[in-house]
Amino acid sequence: MSTEDAPTHGGQVSENGTALEAARVLALLDASRHSLGALTAAVNLASLRHAELVALYVEDMDLLRCAAFPFSCEIGAQSGLSRPLTPDSLETSIARQLQRVHQALAGAVAGRSLRHRLEVARGQVVSAALTMAAPEDVLVLGKAGTTERWGTRLGSTSRRLIMEAPCTVLLWDERHPFKRGPLRWLRPVAGESEAPPAMAEWLAALFEDGAPLPVSHAYELERALAHANAGGLLLHRSELESLLNEDSELIARVPLPILVVP
């Protein structure tokens, strides 16, 4: 369902009838501090582009199915205590989480003239988000999402969405305030152009100039960015996959927002 009456897809039309670029900013929310930090980034990005902001909250059917088993329990992240997990208690928890998402979205857009809506779906998180996304969109994700209780590692949901989304993905880390700076990308092999991958001007406008990085391995990239505190990192999906195969925790240690292009 949607909390606002707004078109879900499709472009606008200019006065002379020419189709304009259709681009929405999608934010996947789960009420974790990482996803709410990503929401702030999504609001700023949508404001910059004058684009529609679509916040997506998914009631996880896999979790609901697990709660139906009589032996299901949940363990407190802080206390370590175990307590029964029932469908009723999980539904109550989901309702509280959705309320926090509503409040966070309202607070994030307060005072802004920004088209926005909250989509609430019930199903599998990844499939629901992929169904929503279109090639011209930008999907904004928090790095850890619901796995934040275990640290800042890249969550499995985020990883699947990054690798399968049909659009550009902005991977946000709320621990590091964003500062304008160079957009870095991996320098290609000798003899190829060092121009950065093509991307929408409104995304490029977030950064200042560009800076190719002469690295090809995960440890080289981590060392090159160890003291970076401004700008961002641009990666092709194939580059990111290669880096994660070398070091699955690398992205959690990169102190910059990361743009992943298909």
Side-chain angles (χ1 to χ4, degrees):
M1 68 177 180
S2 170
T3 61
E4 299 279 347
D5 292 327
T8 57
H9 281 285
Q12 304 172 9
V13 178
S14 65
E15 293 181 357
N16 62 8
T18 303
L20 301 177
E21 178 187 15
R24 302 169 305 166
V25 177
L26 310 181
L28 181 62
L29 303 182
D30 58 20
S32 69
R33 63 187 177 90
H34 286 273
S35 78
L36 297 182
L39 173 61
T40 299
V43 168
N44 292 334
L45 191 59
S47 296
L48 174 68
R49 177 60 180 85
H50 304 293
E52 180 186 13
L53 170 69
V54 180
L56 174 62
Y57 176 78
V58 182
E59 298 173 350
D60 193 342
M61 281 300 298
D62 289 340
L63 193 57
L64 287 165
R65 292 191 185 101
C66 288
F69 292 112
F71 50 79
S72 295
C73 63
E74 57 181 343
I75 300 174
Q78 302 296 328
S79 66
L81 298 177
S82 174
R83 55 184 176 269
L85 179 63
T86 66
D88 287 345
S89 66
L90 185 56
E91 290 281 7
T92 300
S93 177
I94 288 174
R96 286 198 299 265
Q97 192 175 71
L98 180 56
Q99 182 179 23
R100 291 197 297 271
V101 167
H102 273 287
Q103 293 170 344
L105 179 59
V109 301
R112 296 176 185 259
S113 178
L114 178 65
R115 288 184 300 132
H116 66 280
R117 57 194 171 93
L118 174 63
E119 289 281 346
V120 180
R122 175 163 288 197
Q124 293 184 321
V125 176
V126 172
S127 59
L130 293 179
T131 298
M132 173 69 67
E136 66 272 13
D137 295 332
V138 176
L139 175 62
V140 183
L141 301 175
K143 274 189 180 178
T146 54
T147 64
E148 66 176 324
R149 69 188 62 179
W150 311 118
T152 55
R153 60 187 295 272
L154 182 65
S156 58
T157 296
S158 294
R159 178 162 179 160
R160 279 198 62 194
L161 287 171
I162 293 167
M163 295 304 176
E164 299 177 28
C167 57
T168 297
V169 176
L170 174 58
L171 191 59
W172 199 261
D173 190 333
E174 56 85 33
R175 298 171 303 164
H176 305 284
F178 176 71
K179 298 180 182 178
R180 282 179 58 83
L183 180 61
R184 302 160 180 85
W185 69 92
L186 303 191
R187 177 178 292 172
V189 298
E192 294 185 7
S193 170
E194 290 192 356
M199 61 187 303
E201 291 183 4
W202 61 285
L203 275 174
L206 291 174
F207 306 96
E208 297 175 351
D209 302 321
L213 294 174
V215 301
S216 56
H217 295 286
Y219 73 91
E220 295 173 333
L221 180 62
E222 183 177 5
R223 185 170 57 184
L225 298 177
H227 302 292
N229 62 2
L233 175 65
L234 177 64
L235 294 172
H236 283 290
R237 186 175 293 163
S238 59
E239 294 171 332
L240 177 59
E241 184 173 20
S242 177
L243 292 168
L244 290 177
N245 286 339
E246 291 185 28
D247 184 347
S248 62
E249 306 303 323
L250 171 69
I251 297 307
R253 300 193 298 272
V254 172
L256 298 173
I258 301 171
L259 275 169
V260 182
V261 296

